[in-house]
Amino acid sequence: GTYKLQITWEGSPIKKSPWTFIYVAGPPDPTRCHANGTGTQNIVAGNRATFSIYTYDSFGNPVSNCSNNDWDILFEDPTYNEDQTLISCNPQNGVFIVDYYGYKSSKPTWTLKVKYAGASISISPFEVTEVANVIYAPTSKVDLADQTNVYAG
């Protein structure tokens, strides 16, 4: 916020008083940051999962800028590719949006870790349920025009 400081000497303002100060939040404190959204709970294999990271400094002030981008997103799924993870920031409020993908649903849950500057944020890690993607028959199309043999298996 913006603050004014007025200094007086024996009841009279000193020269150039008052001064205006603008205070902004400090860098994110991982112990005060938190994430939420469906991507912290579940993911459909092959589809994008999304969640938001809300950042606060060590005094609990919301960090409302996007200049602090030292995030690590670690997803235990062995098919996870860090290069496919997109982290963006809303410049209006400093909320980070994370989009990531997983492709293997061979076990019921995977661990998702969210870190800032190497330290886990509040309530991280998350246990994420990954389910297999499904084929929806009414919108699916099978073209067998070039096939001579079709095997079920």
Side-chain angles (χ1 to χ4, degrees), residues 23-29 55-59 61-65 68 116:
Y23 289 94
V24 296
D29 178 347
T55 55
Y56 298 88
D57 71 9
S58 59
F59 296 101
N61 299 307
V63 178
S64 59
N65 66 61
N68 303 293
Y116 180 77

Side-chain angles (χ1 to χ4, degrees), residues 3-75:
Y3 297 89
K4 286 190 176 190
L5 174 65
Q6 183 169 357
I7 300 175
T8 59
W9 178 262
E10 296 182 355
S12 298
I14 66 167
K15 204 178 218 182
K16 298 185 180 180
S17 179
W19 290 277
T20 301
F21 295 90
I22 299 173
Y23 289 94
V24 296
D29 178 347
T31 64
R32 293 187 177 259
C33 299
H34 68 273
N36 71 8
T38 57
T40 62
Q41 300 163 359
N42 57 61
I43 182 173
V44 175
N47 288 1
R48 178 182 69 204
T50 301
F51 63 90
S52 300
I53 303 172
Y54 299 88
T55 55
Y56 298 88
D57 71 9
S58 59
F59 296 101
N61 299 307
V63 178
S64 59
N65 66 61
C66 298
S67 62
N68 303 293
N69 197 8
D70 191 9
W71 296 104
D72 288 316
I73 310 301
L74 308 163
F75 190 45

